Amino acid sequence: MTVTQPSTAERVAAVRQTLSAGSLDEAVTDARALLEAHPSDLRCRLLWAELLAAQDKRAEVVDYASSLLKQWPDNPWVLSRLVSAYVANGDADAALSLYRDKVEPSALPEADKTRIARNLAAANRSHPQALVILEQRLSAAPDDPALARDSASALFALGRLDEAVDRFERAARLAPLPAWAAFLHVTSLVQRRRLAGTVPVVDAAILDCLGDALKRFPDDALFVRAFNGLPIASPDWHRLYRLIRSHVSPARTNGLLQFETAKACLQAGEPETTRAILQGLDPASHWGTVAKPLLSVLDTLPDTVWQRARFDDDPAAEVQIVRREGARRTIVVFATLTGNFMMLPLACLDALLADVPANVVYLRDTVFGSAISGLRSLGPDISSTVSHLRRLIADLGAPELTMVGASVSGLSAIRYGARLGADRATCFGALTTVDPEFQGTPSRLQRTLRVMQQDSAATERFDDVVTELAQAPGMGVEMFVGDACELDLKQAARLETIPQIHIHHEADVAHHYVALAMIARHRFVEAITGQAN
């Protein structure tokens, strides 16, 4: 009886099947035997390159594929393998150059060229040549929605926001955007308006895109996070919030999704729902740990406290004022980066300040962050913002002025207080510099600052806080920091020798949310009024 031996192609396919089944060692052994039997067979040589890649031998794959290219200089499959090897090895320039010079004009099927181009661009999104090769592919296949999406993403990564928005819209006309592309579409629309200094930031196009995404991707945490970080006018905010609220479920296990949903519920005035969601987080998980300071406040204070708020917060409002008849002090509160106060909605903060005999001015920077470059609704720059605030404070009539801030808004409280003639600034975990070179500047804030540097409307910058304070020797700064929070301690240490600044270490606080810790300990309001010093 004659036994038919499998062909080389069949043996190559069998090795790939073994590899796909997760048996790497067996696949390597079989491939080595196959290569020894057929050393000149390109199929066997390419298979060995695949096995090297599967073993994460990146540099070895590059060398091996380069040697294959010398023997088969125009073979499209060798070119494809070498491009992939360069990408895996982090050599973007070599991969892009090889694709442009050899792969694009090769005899590879158009679908394979597109596949290689997309994989190459995905790993090098912000490289200008990645966009070039995607544009070449798109010109050959103008109705390919995946290419349209990928080229839109490359345009976004290069900061070409107008073109990115147009390309995302073209892709959406071809096929519904997947979640990642829908998120970048929303982000492109928002960044375009913020970089132009346009208020209101959120327009109908942003609302439509975000609303559609919340409907189609209710379990994607990034869209709930985007919702929480956008200055959406109250009626539209509540309309979109209902989409989020309708999907609240104890069965959800995504920690970020639950955390962001809880923050939205608290902004909507539902502390009981917020507490229930946060209690459902694993306390040992990352998001369970992040939520602990806020949960501590909600567990300590009765829900009736939050009913004392004296205004309905409009997330799109940059200035909101609570007047107190006969007040001798005005308190100016700077919201933190996401428009609240260290996770606490401004209305909740007002509930805590309800018994303080003072006017309260709540400031929210809807364009960038904590009025670092001014408030666009008050003017085009810092000077015009200061002038507007000075008139507003004078109109309130109180002779004493306290500035309040936390994290980066604590820096704004100090800077604006110095220029407005405040007698006191009270800060919680305040940053004392936002210089990206300072090791104590958080990475997320560094990203915000890099975006701000592109802001065409921001033509004025504050001086360093030391210089600003020198112009206001009569203003005292009460700075509360967590005694075990490295970020707070590094930032405070920069100014510890300045006589105007008094640093208070809050015991047993290892996180950046010292304001929330002091609220839970019933020391926050006293700190603002000067009674906790």
Side-chain angles (χ1 to χ4, degrees):
M1 180 177 177
T2 304
V3 178
T4 303
Q5 295 295 322
S7 67
T8 302
E10 289 172 333
R11 292 180 66 185
V12 168
V15 173
R16 287 200 173 105
Q17 188 173 3
T18 301
L19 180 62
S20 298
S23 302
L24 177 58
D25 291 342
E26 182 181 350
V28 169
T29 299
D30 293 346
R32 183 178 286 114
L34 188 57
L35 185 60
E36 290 173 354
H38 306 282
S40 299
D41 192 304
L42 180 57
R43 293 168 297 181
C44 299
R45 303 287 294 275
L46 287 172
L47 177 64
W48 187 246
E50 287 182 44
L51 268 297
L52 290 174
Q55 297 172 81
D56 202 30
K57 297 181 178 180
R58 301 178 187 182
E60 194 171 336
V61 179
V62 170
D63 291 342
Y64 188 77
S66 297
S67 69
L68 295 182
L69 190 62
K70 291 178 182 178
Q71 297 180 60
W72 290 277
D74 295 313
N75 185 279
W77 306 110
V78 174
L79 289 168
S80 173
R81 172 51 58 189
L82 185 53
V83 168
S84 298
Y86 280 136
V87 170
N89 203 41
D91 194 342
D93 289 335
L96 290 161
S97 176
L98 182 62
Y99 180 91
R100 183 184 63 246
D101 297 340
K102 294 287 188 177
V103 175
E104 183 63 39
S106 75
L108 267 175
E110 294 299 308
D112 288 303
K113 291 180 185 178
T114 295
R115 174 182 55 79
I116 297 168
R118 291 187 64 208
N119 290 338
L120 175 54
N124 302 279
R125 193 70 73 193
S126 60
H127 197 297
Q129 284 301 311
L131 176 62
V132 171
I133 66 173
L134 288 171
E135 296 283 15
Q136 287 177 327
R137 290 285 84 220
L138 191 60
S139 64
D143 294 329
D144 186 328
L147 278 172
R149 293 192 297 264
D150 287 354
S151 60
S153 176
L155 287 164
F156 171 77
L158 292 169
R160 293 162 60 174
L161 297 178
D162 288 336
E163 295 168 273
V165 168
D166 290 343
R167 190 64 55 81
F168 277 122
E169 291 173 355
R170 171 179 169 181
R173 288 192 295 269
L174 294 170
L177 297 179
W180 70 266
F183 180 75
L184 289 183
H185 186 198
V186 172
T187 306
S188 300
L189 289 165
V190 172
Q191 281 198 13
R192 181 171 66 171
R193 290 181 67 82
R194 280 183 160 154
L195 286 174
T198 304
V199 288
V201 169
V202 178
D203 62 1
I206 294 171
L207 289 172
D208 288 345
C209 288
L210 182 58
D212 176 67
L214 289 170
K215 291 175 184 175
R216 293 199 295 127
F217 311 108
D219 293 322
D220 192 313
L222 291 182
F223 293 108
V224 183
R225 169 175 271 189
F227 169 80
N228 284 334
L230 285 175
I232 301 172
S234 194
D236 292 314
W237 190 96
H238 285 282
R239 175 174 59 83
L240 295 182
Y241 170 71
R242 286 192 289 271
L243 296 174
I244 296 170
R245 184 67 175 85
S246 66
H247 292 281
V248 170
S249 168
R252 281 177 161 174
T253 58
N254 184 316
L256 173 59
L257 176 61
Q258 292 292 74
F259 176 68
E260 293 294 338
T261 300
K263 290 198 297 182
C265 290
L266 191 57
Q267 177 70 33
E270 299 184 41
E272 185 175 352
T273 303
T274 303
R275 183 168 49 253
I277 295 173
L278 295 181
Q279 287 173 343
L281 292 171
D282 177 1
S285 69
H286 172 73
W287 294 109
T289 301
V290 172
K292 281 178 184 177
L294 180 58
L295 183 57
S296 178
V297 170
L298 296 174
D299 283 343
T300 303
L301 276 63
D303 291 349
T304 53
V305 166
W306 313 118
Q307 298 171 12
R308 292 154 48 89
R310 296 165 293 178
F311 73 106
D312 293 323
D313 181 27
D314 181 351
E318 292 207 318
V319 181
Q320 297 176 102
I321 302 171
V322 176
R323 296 175 181 264
R324 185 71 173 259
E325 189 70 28
R328 291 191 52 77
R329 179 171 294 278
T330 292
I331 299 172
V332 177
V333 176
F334 288 83
T336 46
L337 282 177
T338 53
N340 52 34
F341 195 86
M342 303 304 283
M343 296 194 282
L344 201 65
L346 295 187
C348 291
L349 190 66
D350 188 67
L352 297 174
L353 298 176
D355 287 337
V356 178
N359 306 306
V360 186
V361 179
Y362 294 96
L363 301 179
R364 172 192 283 117
D365 184 350
T366 63
V367 177
F368 278 114
S370 302
I372 290 175
S373 61
L375 296 173
R376 291 293 175 268
S377 63
L378 302 186
D381 51 30
I382 293 169
S383 295
S384 56
T385 298
V386 169
S387 297
H388 192 111
L389 289 175
R390 182 175 287 113
R391 292 192 298 271
L392 185 155
I393 292 165
D395 182 62
L396 290 172
E400 299 172 351
L401 179 61
T402 295
M403 317 299 282
V404 176
S407 190
V408 68
S409 82
L411 177 59
S412 291
I414 297 171
R415 286 167 158 174
Y416 281 92
R419 295 199 179 189
L420 289 167
D423 52 278
R424 184 168 72 240
T426 302
C427 308
F428 303 90
L431 302 189
T432 58
T433 179
V434 290
D435 184 349
E437 301 302 318
F438 180 60
Q439 61 178 341
T441 301
S443 58
R444 182 184 176 194
L445 181 57
Q446 290 182 30
R447 290 193 296 271
T448 299
L449 292 170
R450 282 195 290 270
V451 173
M452 282 184 59
Q453 290 170 359
Q454 306 170 47
D455 178 11
S456 59
T459 58
E460 184 182 2
R461 297 283 186 264
F462 275 107
D463 291 324
D464 181 80
V465 68
V466 176
T467 304
E468 297 284 349
L469 274 174
Q471 307 304 312
M475 185 180 81
V477 178
E478 307 299 332
M479 188 176 295
F480 294 86
V481 299
D483 71 340
C485 177
E486 184 178 358
L487 168 61
D488 289 6
L489 295 173
K490 281 182 178 179
Q491 290 279 342
R494 293 185 65 253
L495 306 182
E496 62 186 358
T497 60
I498 298 177
Q500 292 166 259
I501 293 183
H502 310 105
I503 300 173
H504 309 273
H505 296 83
E506 191 69 15
D508 303 319
V509 177
H511 53 73
H512 189 45
Y513 297 93
V514 64
L516 298 183
M518 294 183 70
I519 291 170
R521 296 172 181 181
H522 306 285
R523 287 172 40 77
F524 177 77
V525 174
E526 288 76 5
I528 291 176
T529 59
Q531 298 170 8
N533 302 335

